[in-house]
């Protein structure tokens, strides 16, 4: 509820001026930032460029009814930081492409930008360019992120071999649990306000709204060459394991009992339900690694160096043709499928 | 009119597979292309990265009623090529972020991609990554383009000085005339089919649908350091002159009689109307240069080397505080304003 002006009221020039006033001056290695036909940046000597691009669309990736504007900006950058982390790359530069419904309050425009810039500052990422346009439909926030990695340190999805251990950072199911709880409360309307979250749910909601991508972990594991394959969990763990196995031409088996399910997932989906929910749920932005057994010590040293992020061994890579399964006691079954963007 | 499947019918995985089948294998300097968390690319030795990002949104930048799918893909890349050309940068890599309404025919998805890839091939640009998502509203096509330029060859908007000559490539008003004619025909419905375009209009429509950005011209002018400022005409000539003057802290005067108005603009807006229409109309994707008088010979040699693109001297940079005006005989008036994206 706002009585302030909308982006349609103030127009593109005014929005650009607001944006320019908020964006810090570009660092020394960016001779041309926002305000020309394109940005210009020096690339670190001997490093490769790493490039990714991910869009958040209203009604598909977020619901403005329960995702505040600052969280939208945060998440739009976070999903891209997570992709670079999964390559072992240090993020450097971002471009922001916004599609704005004319009825969007200017206050929300400011908050989206603020959420993005706060996270960018924390990772020393410079916003160097982008695009503003009107959208006659949903709000969309499209971020392109450019980072650097030394050759031979790139973490790819392929490269896992039978016998390699599968490790995951943090916990799984937090994103799904946070979203489920926010939806449940929104569905209850005014009555939802009376629904007090447990500490676990509060934590999951915070993670859903402001995930903290594992940038330092990805970069340090890559530097130490402690893993042979990596992918982030943007579409869930089941999807990540499936993609790593496919890209590596191998199978995989996960141990259901070992999965580090977030306590909010256990609370919202009691019993075995939390296994599937945690496997299939997206928005976790943790990292999945394939680590040769002989590199385990190096991997754990890298994790310790990255600081503060626990990792859990959740399974093992199996020979080609064995499929991708989860083992639950004596039972083996195929992995549930991940988030389907067009479903 | 199509009886084929829609993107909602086939889903994200199938679309990704179609895309991968169509995209040529990445060049040698791109060790990781589409299919991982991010793309990885070598940067040319001693060159700077140049980055731009521009989105085309249905209902804002194009109307699917009269812009065929292949032209949408072409234009989405062309607008970005034009931005890099204006920096003097050679384009190398593209990322494509698509927001797809589920009802979009798969045939149109293929054609959008085809239009983009055809233009990319012509400029040796590799499509190395991107994102596919559903859009609950308009189709949007967001392209990020990365190119290279040597230090000290970057063409910026600022840098023009009083006395510098203003030159523009090609003709102006073609984009606006092409669009106006397409709209006029669409408004007539079935009766529009009977509206035969003149050769000039046919040419303008072709330019509107498939503009040819002046990549070679921008790169060669930059290499020879034949201009001190440059900008592309995506939002019209009046806007470009205004922006270059503002960034350079100077004024400018244009000579109305010298403006290389496209014959279709003269046909659609007879008399003086074509001056304003050509100045304010967007979608031209020509380049505006500020050239010191003593560099004129070098500039014209660069133009000759680029081949095939005429240039016209249209005005001169004036001292700070003199404003940005167009001189029409004895009359001087402020430039009409360009395309307003939120209007």
């Amino acid at each position: 509820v706002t009585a302030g002006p909308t982006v349609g009221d103030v127009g593109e020039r005014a929005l650009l001026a607001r944006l320019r006033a908020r964006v810090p001056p570009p660092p020394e290695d960016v001779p041309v930032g926002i305000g020309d036909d394109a940005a210009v940046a020096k690339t670190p000597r001997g490093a490769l460029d790493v490039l990714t691009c991910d869009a958040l669309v209203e009604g598909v990736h977020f619901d403005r009814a329960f995702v505040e504007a600052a969280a939208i900006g945060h998440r739009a950058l976070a999903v891209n930081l997570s992709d670079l982390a999964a390559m072992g790359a240090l993020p450097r530069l971002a471009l922001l492409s916004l599609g704005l419904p004319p009825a969007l309050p200017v206050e929300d425009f400011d908050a989206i930008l603020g959420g993005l810039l706060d996270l960018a500052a924390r990772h020393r990422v410079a916003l160097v360019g982008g695009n503003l346009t009107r959208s006659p439909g949903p709000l969309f926030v499209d971020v392109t992120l450019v980072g650097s990695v030394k050759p031979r340190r790139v973490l790819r999805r392929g490269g896992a071999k039978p016998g390699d251990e599968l490790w995951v950072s943090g916990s799984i199911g937090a994103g799904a649990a946070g979203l489920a709880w926010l939806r449940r409360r929104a569905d209850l309307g005014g009555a939802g306000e009376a629904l007090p979250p447990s500490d676990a749910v509060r934590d999951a909601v915070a993670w859903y709204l402001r995930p903290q991508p594992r940038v330092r972990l990805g970069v340090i594991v890559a530097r130490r060459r402690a893993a042979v394959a990596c992918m982030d969990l943007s579409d869930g763990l089941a999807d990540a394991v499936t993609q790593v196995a496919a890209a590596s031409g191998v199978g995989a088996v996960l141990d259901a009992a070992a999965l580090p399910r977030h306590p909010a997932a256990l609370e919202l989906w009691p019993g075995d339900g939390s296994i599937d929910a945690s496997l299939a749920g997206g928005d976790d932005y943790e990292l999945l690694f394939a680590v040769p057994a002989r590199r385990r010590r190096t991997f754990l040293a890298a994790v310790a160096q990255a600081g503060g992020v626990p990792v859990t061994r959740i399974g093992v890579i199996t020979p080609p043709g064995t499929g991708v399964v989860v083992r639950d006691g004596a039972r083996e079954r195929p992995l549930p499928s991940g988030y389907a963007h067009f479903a």
Side-chain angles (χ1 to χ4, degrees), chain A:
Chain A
V1 182
T2 176
T6 67
V7 301
D9 292 336
V10 302
E12 187 192 8
R13 294 269 155 92
L15 294 176
L16 254 179
R18 291 180 91 87
L19 187 143
R20 282 183 179 208
R22 288 285 294 281
V23 174
E28 229 173 70
D29 59 349
V30 178
V32 182
I34 290 171
D36 216 305
D37 291 280
V40 180
K42 281 179 204 165
T43 53
R45 251 174 178 282
L48 301 167
D49 272 345
V50 186
L51 306 134
T52 189
C53 168
D54 225 333
L56 297 192
V57 180
E58 180 182 358
V60 180
H61 304 96
F62 63 88
D63 186 331
R64 273 203 278 156
F66 52 78
V67 180
E68 57 176 11
I72 296 169
H74 176 105
R75 295 178 81 234
L77 180 58
V79 299
N80 285 284
L81 286 168
S82 185
D83 278 327
L84 283 207
M87 302 299 289
L90 199 67
R92 295 189 297 118
L93 313 168
L95 299 156
L96 170 63
S97 181
L98 281 170
L100 303 170
L104 186 81
V106 171
E107 198 183 315
D108 285 358
F109 169 84
D110 288 343
I112 292 168
L113 188 63
L116 186 141
L117 288 176
D118 284 351
L119 184 61
R122 224 171 305 152
H123 291 280
R124 296 188 190 175
V125 166
L127 181 62
V128 299
N131 189 56
L132 293 184
T133 178
R134 181 164 64 84
S135 166
L139 169 66
F140 64 85
V141 188
D142 201 354
V143 171
T144 297
L145 191 64
V146 182
S148 302
V149 69
K150 290 273 171 69
R152 287 193 302 273
R153 286 184 184 166
V154 181
L155 284 172
R156 304 198 47 174
R157 290 184 188 175
K161 293 206 162 48
D164 289 350
E165 299 172 351
L166 287 170
W167 292 77
V168 71
S169 65
S171 58
I172 59 171
L179 173 59
W181 189 84
L182 286 169
R183 275 200 181 131
R184 203 176 288 183
R185 194 178 61 167
D187 288 347
L188 290 172
E193 298 299 324
L195 194 69
S198 66
D199 285 353
V201 165
R202 201 185 306 273
D203 185 73
V205 167
W207 189 261
Y208 172 75
L209 293 175
R210 286 186 174 74
Q212 301 300 328
R214 306 304 191 183
V215 174
R216 196 171 148 78
L217 179 63
V219 167
I220 292 175
V221 167
R223 259 183 214 160
R224 293 187 169 226
R225 298 190 208 167
V228 291
C230 183
M231 182 172 168
D232 87 317
L233 264 54
S234 42
D235 289 344
L237 177 60
D239 175 71
V241 174
T242 304
Q243 302 276 355
V244 165
S248 304
V250 295
V253 54
L254 296 188
D255 177 4
L259 298 175
R261 285 168 278 169
H262 190 276
L266 295 168
E267 184 183 323
L268 265 67
W269 301 286
D272 282 359
S274 66
I275 296 178
D276 275 11
S278 302
L279 283 169
D283 297 315
D284 272 337
Y285 306 105
E286 297 292 351
L287 296 178
L288 170 73
F289 297 99
V291 180
R294 67 177 187 291
R295 304 288 290 160
R296 190 197 300 163
R297 193 189 292 248
T298 308
F299 176 70
L300 293 174
V303 171
Q305 190 189 339
V309 190
V311 294
T312 308
R313 184 161 44 139
I314 55 166
V316 65
I317 295 292
T318 53
T322 51
V324 179
V325 297
V326 57
R327 187 173 290 154
D328 203 348
R331 219 162 35 113
E332 264 189 13
R333 59 190 171 90
L335 280 183
S337 57
Y339 181 71
H341 291 278
F342 284 82

